[in-house]
Amino acid sequence: MHKITYPLLAITLILSCCSCKTSKKCAQNGNYPLIGTQWNLVALEGAELDYDFAMRPFVTFDTAGHLKGNLGCNTFFGSYETTKKHKMTVNYEGSTKRLCSQMGVEKQFTAAWRMDINRYELKGEELILYSGEDEIMRFSGTDLSKKE
């Protein structure tokens, strides 16, 4: 009985540690996976952001290849694809059209989504999106399953 129990327990433990519970697209190199995390914007094109507006800009990615988030005032949506080699393509599809008092960061964030994003990197609790070698956006992760 013990000859079967211990190997099965070991296999189960190994598989649970190595598997990504959200999707096969989910590359877990950092503390947070791409999918199942709210990614809060912290920098645009290398410049740290000063948050003096109503809502902090963020993005989330789902298992069906959709992205959505907030630009600081308006919500936005689009689609994305990734590969195992951390390649990424993004299709920014649109946003709501509310007029808010602080639109500067929102305009920059919208323009960044329209750039040729072609690579991503998960570093600890950060997600970094690149166009070629240039960092376009940097985000800090929040686990959606722990959010109230």
Side-chain angles (χ1 to χ4, degrees):
M1 180 74 169
H2 292 296
K3 288 182 181 181
I4 296 173
T5 305
Y6 290 123
L8 286 177
L9 181 61
I11 290 169
T12 303
L13 181 61
I14 290 168
L15 289 176
S16 67
C17 290
C18 296
S19 67
C20 181
K21 61 184 173 186
T22 54
S23 130
K24 65 183 180 184
K25 288 184 181 179
C26 178
Q28 175 97 33
N29 287 345
N31 293 338
Y32 293 119
L34 182 64
I35 298 168
T37 302
Q38 177 175 304
W39 295 104
N40 303 299
L41 185 66
V42 295
L44 275 168
E45 298 186 67
E48 299 289 320
L49 296 181
D50 179 24
Y51 291 102
D52 60 348
F53 38 88
M55 177 167 248
R56 184 177 188 145
F58 70 89
V59 65
T60 60
F61 299 87
D62 71 17
T63 58
H66 300 105
L67 61 88
K68 64 182 178 180
N70 191 285
L71 297 164
C73 171
N74 289 289
T75 58
F76 73 98
F77 53 93
S79 59
Y80 75 99
E81 287 185 35
T82 61
T83 69
K84 290 182 181 180
K85 295 185 178 189
H86 294 257
K87 300 289 184 200
M88 175 181 273
T89 56
V90 171
N91 182 25
Y92 176 88
E93 295 171 8
S95 70
T96 56
K97 304 288 184 203
R98 294 185 327 180
L99 182 59
C100 300
S101 61
Q102 300 291 331
M103 297 294 286
V105 170
E106 180 156 332
K107 287 177 183 176
Q108 279 185 279
F109 195 29
T110 301
W113 283 113
R114 291 185 172 133
M115 292 179 142
D116 181 27
I117 297 168
N118 53 24
R119 184 169 62 92
Y120 73 100
E121 184 176 8
L122 293 169
K123 277 182 153 178
E125 296 178 356
E126 288 188 326
L127 166 66
I128 305 168
L129 301 181
Y130 295 91
S131 177
E133 295 300 314
D134 298 328
E135 179 183 309
I136 302 301
M137 295 178 267
R138 184 179 319 159
F139 301 87
S140 175
T142 301
D143 187 347
L144 287 175
S145 67
K146 295 179 182 175
K147 236 182 143 183
E148 294 180 12

